[in-house]
Amino acid sequence: MCANYACVEQEHGTPILFINGKKTPPIFYSLSDFRAAKSDTAQAQRNIKAFSDCGIDLVCCDTNLCTGWHKASGFDIAPLRAELSGVLDANPMAKIILRLHVNPPYWWLRDHPEECIVYRTDKGDIPGIDDGESDRLIKDDLGNSLRCSFASELWLKEAGDMLRLFCEQIQNFPEGDALIGIQVAYGVYGEWHQFGVDCSLPMQRYFRTFLKEKYDSEKALQQAWKNNSLTFDTAEFHPET
């Protein structure tokens, strides 16, 4: 169990942050995903200390689950711990919210092209562009870059397994005592916006499942869509609309 307990509760219709039972103004110094904003850089160290001198000990830092998600070996928590450790080096009293991206590793995207987005564009349906960019994952999020489909069941399972391992293991380290929350991040800029219009096979399967959950039978589907020959498998998929 982490030493610091945090929760958000509603008080007179307003969300209030409590840390160890005490109301805490939600004023954070927040780091970003690019290399110069990592917690171990001189700039970040200086800023974290400056905020601490002003009485602000809440810090948001940013890292990627894929840094410890390896193909040839098990999950390695060390690089994720390092981002938290950098914050504590600058302010040992810091309480940290971790923005944790769950993008799969670059090797995973190459190994599972069938799980990746197929973008619907004015020029037709195109696979994601593999430009070799593996360091800063969100830099090209507004382009048609190689990205995993939101509907990929394989990604959901494996990323979920890695996230679970992180949560279980971080409790055994000093950095876990400082961690008061995790923002799970994916999608454009880590904000869960869709990467364009996805017409991949995983998204098409998700659409078929959605239809079966929404309509009790194909007869109900036919009535709603005003087409007596329609089936769950032949209903047209138009995510662009």
Side-chain angles (χ1 to χ4, degrees):
M1 183 67 177
C2 293
N4 290 300
Y5 173 75
C7 65
V8 176
E9 296 183 358
Q10 292 288 327
E11 191 172 280
H12 306 299
T14 300
I16 304 294
L17 174 63
F18 288 85
I19 299 179
N20 297 326
K22 181 181 178 181
K23 289 183 183 180
T24 305
I27 302 173
F28 294 82
Y29 173 61
S30 186
L31 297 163
S32 188
D33 73 291
F34 58 93
R35 186 67 194 92
K38 306 309 284 182
S39 65
D40 61 351
T41 61
Q43 173 179 291
Q45 293 277 302
R46 181 177 64 251
N47 292 347
I48 293 169
K49 290 175 183 176
F51 273 77
S52 177
D53 290 342
C54 295
I56 298 172
D57 293 322
L58 302 183
V59 179
C60 293
C61 61
D62 189 297
T63 192
N64 301 304
L65 191 65
C66 67
T67 61
W69 181 352
H70 302 297
K71 182 177 180 178
S73 59
F75 178 70
D76 180 13
I77 198 173
L80 289 89
R81 280 184 62 200
E83 187 63 26
L84 300 171
S85 296
V87 174
L88 296 175
D89 288 342
N91 178 6
M93 301 303 295
K95 298 173 181 61
I96 305 171
I97 288 183
L98 179 63
R99 191 168 190 247
L100 183 56
H101 298 267
V102 291
N103 299 54
Y106 184 47
W107 60 260
W108 192 99
L109 297 171
R110 296 198 312 270
D111 281 1
H112 301 289
E114 73 284 355
E115 303 295 328
C116 294
I117 294 171
V118 175
Y119 294 90
R120 179 149 294 173
T121 72
D122 294 339
K123 298 179 181 179
D125 298 345
I126 61 171
I129 299 168
D130 183 358
D131 61 2
E133 174 65 63
S134 61
D135 292 331
R136 188 178 175 203
L137 293 178
I138 71 173
K139 186 177 73 173
D140 296 320
D141 276 355
L142 291 180
N144 296 329
S145 298
L146 185 66
R147 294 287 185 263
C148 179
S149 172
F150 274 66
S152 168
E153 294 183 4
L154 181 65
W155 164 68
L156 287 168
K157 180 188 182 302
E158 294 190 2
D161 289 342
M162 296 299 109
L163 179 60
R164 187 177 299 108
L165 285 171
F166 170 77
C167 291
E168 291 172 351
Q169 294 182 23
I170 196 62
Q171 298 181 70
N172 300 319
F173 295 98
E175 295 86 357
D177 290 336
L179 189 62
I180 64 169
I182 298 173
Q183 177 204 342
V184 180
Y186 191 60
V188 174
Y189 304 147
E191 297 170 357
W192 293 96
H193 305 299
Q194 287 281 344
F195 295 111
V197 179
D198 181 8
C199 58
S200 64
L201 287 177
M203 191 60 77
Q204 292 185 46
R205 288 194 295 267
Y206 185 88
F207 174 66
R208 305 295 166 198
T209 300
F210 164 77
L211 289 180
K212 293 174 183 178
E213 292 175 350
K214 181 176 178 63
Y215 302 103
D216 294 334
S217 65
E218 288 188 339
K219 183 177 180 180
L221 172 69
Q222 292 165 1
Q223 291 175 344
W225 287 43
K226 297 179 174 58
N227 184 338
N228 292 331
S229 63
L230 207 60
T231 69
F232 288 128
D233 292 330
T234 61
E236 294 185 359
F237 178 57
H238 290 294
E240 67 274 15
T241 61

